[in-house]
Structures are given as structure tokens and as C-alpha cells.
Amino acid sequence: MQFEGPVLAYILDTLLPSSSPDDADTSSHARTLLAVTAACNQCPDAQQLLVSEIKASLARALALPESSTKHSRLQSLFGLIQAMIESGPHTSQQSVIQPNNTMKLLIKKGLISDLARVPHSLDLSSPNLVATVNSVLKPLEKLSSIVNQPSSTAPKTQTTSGQATDTTMESGEQQSITAQQQTNQETG
């Protein structure tokens, strides 16, 4: 079999989905390689390339005609995304998820929208539909919870007036609030 294209595309499209029980080791090793690449914070370019290739692989899998191969590829991609999310830093609090660089890239590249659109590309009468939808919901839930986290979990910084401010604010908003606080202190 001749394959032309990026190595990551070959790994994601061919090696990651296990087509037979004999290929279980190959699939496991491919998943480990990709998860380790996603966790490699020393090379953000590699992480960005991996996220871009995952998006492209998802698009290629969704374009396939309805078959068990399509569902197998989709489920393996969703499992990989879930593994990438779970390999992030963990905090002592269960409700707070600290996003790692790969998770931030997944969100920045719009993977949440891509995952939400997956059911539109599936045949609703397929016997594999339930398993595929369940596998897409796991990473979609985790990524959505990161996006929807309250800003109170963001780190605080001290302003010149000694009051804590949220670091997720834009600098213009911070300056406006600081100026307003100073005006209140002068008049009060």
C-alpha cells in the first residue's frame, strides 16, 4: 500500500484505528506516540501541527461513506482527543480543570465546533451511531467545561492600589477599573 502525505496523517488515518485484533498493539503504540507528542510542552510547534492534523483527519473521516470503518476512525480520534485532555495537569479540586497547551490549541483551532457538528455527518440509522456519539460527547464535555469555567478560577494579580484583579481582563478594562477606583478613593 502506497501512502502519500504527512506521517501524522498516516498514523491518524491508518495506524490509530484498529481494524483487526492483530493490530491492537499497533493502535496502542500509535495512540501512545500521539499522546506523548501532545504532552510535549517543549515543542509547541509539534503540538500545533498535531492539532491541525487531528482536525484534518476528523474532516477526512467524516467525508467517508457510512461504514464501520468510518465509525472506527471517528471513535479512535475521539479516544485520542480524550487521552490528550486527560494527560493535562490535574489539581486537587475535581471541579477545576487546568488546561494544558494542547487543550488550549484544541479550543483555539475550533475543535469544539467540529466535534459538535459530528452528528450532522452520520447516518442516524447506523448501528454504530450510539457508540460514536457517546465517544464524541466525552471530549466535547471536557473542552466545553474548560471554556465555560468561571473567571474566578483565573490567577489574581495585585494592582498598584493593592486590590486583586482578574488577569483574564483586557488591559484596557483593568486600566478603566483602576482609574475608577482611584477616583473613588480621591472623592471618598
Side-chain angles (χ1 to χ4, degrees):
M1 180 176 135
Q2 185 89 13
F3 185 86
E4 291 188 26
V7 172
L8 283 175
Y10 179 76
I11 293 170
L12 289 167
D13 295 346
T14 308
L15 300 180
L16 185 63
S18 59
S19 56
S20 69
D22 298 335
D23 291 340
D25 284 342
T26 303
S27 176
S28 172
H29 294 311
R31 183 179 173 149
T32 302
L33 171 69
L34 295 170
V36 167
T37 303
C40 181
N41 291 329
Q42 292 81 11
C43 191
D45 292 340
Q47 291 176 326
Q48 192 166 8
L49 184 64
L50 177 62
V51 169
S52 296
E53 201 53 52
I54 286 173
K55 280 185 59 85
S57 181
L58 178 60
R60 289 189 299 270
L62 290 172
L64 289 173
E66 191 64 33
S67 66
S68 61
T69 303
K70 176 180 184 172
H71 288 274
S72 174
R73 281 178 61 178
L74 288 171
Q75 290 173 19
S76 64
L77 279 172
F78 303 146
L80 173 65
I81 294 167
Q82 183 68 21
M84 290 166 56
I85 291 169
E86 290 174 352
S87 69
H90 299 286
T91 61
S92 59
Q93 299 174 346
Q94 293 292 349
S95 62
V96 178
I97 300 171
Q98 293 294 327
N100 60 20
N101 291 344
T102 306
M103 292 164 60
K104 291 176 186 175
L105 282 171
L106 290 171
I107 293 167
K108 182 179 176 183
K109 295 277 186 174
L111 194 76
I112 293 176
S113 298
D114 294 342
L115 292 176
R117 288 188 201 119
V118 165
H120 295 286
S121 301
L122 300 176
D123 182 10
L124 298 178
S125 64
S126 171
N128 300 317
L129 177 73
V130 173
T132 303
V133 170
N134 282 337
S135 65
V136 75
L137 288 176
K138 293 173 188 172
L140 186 59
E141 177 186 17
K142 291 287 187 181
L143 290 173
S144 297
S145 69
I146 292 167
V147 170
N148 294 326
Q149 276 184 356
S151 60
S152 63
T153 60
K156 305 281 185 185
T157 58
Q158 294 292 327
T159 61
T160 55
S161 63
Q163 297 204 354
T165 59
D166 193 345
T167 58
T168 58
M169 286 188 205
E170 298 295 324
S171 62
E173 289 177 304
Q174 280 183 331
Q175 290 173 354
S176 171
I177 291 171
T178 304
Q180 193 176 30
Q181 289 172 349
Q182 289 174 350
T183 304
N184 290 342
Q185 288 175 353
E186 290 171 1
T187 58

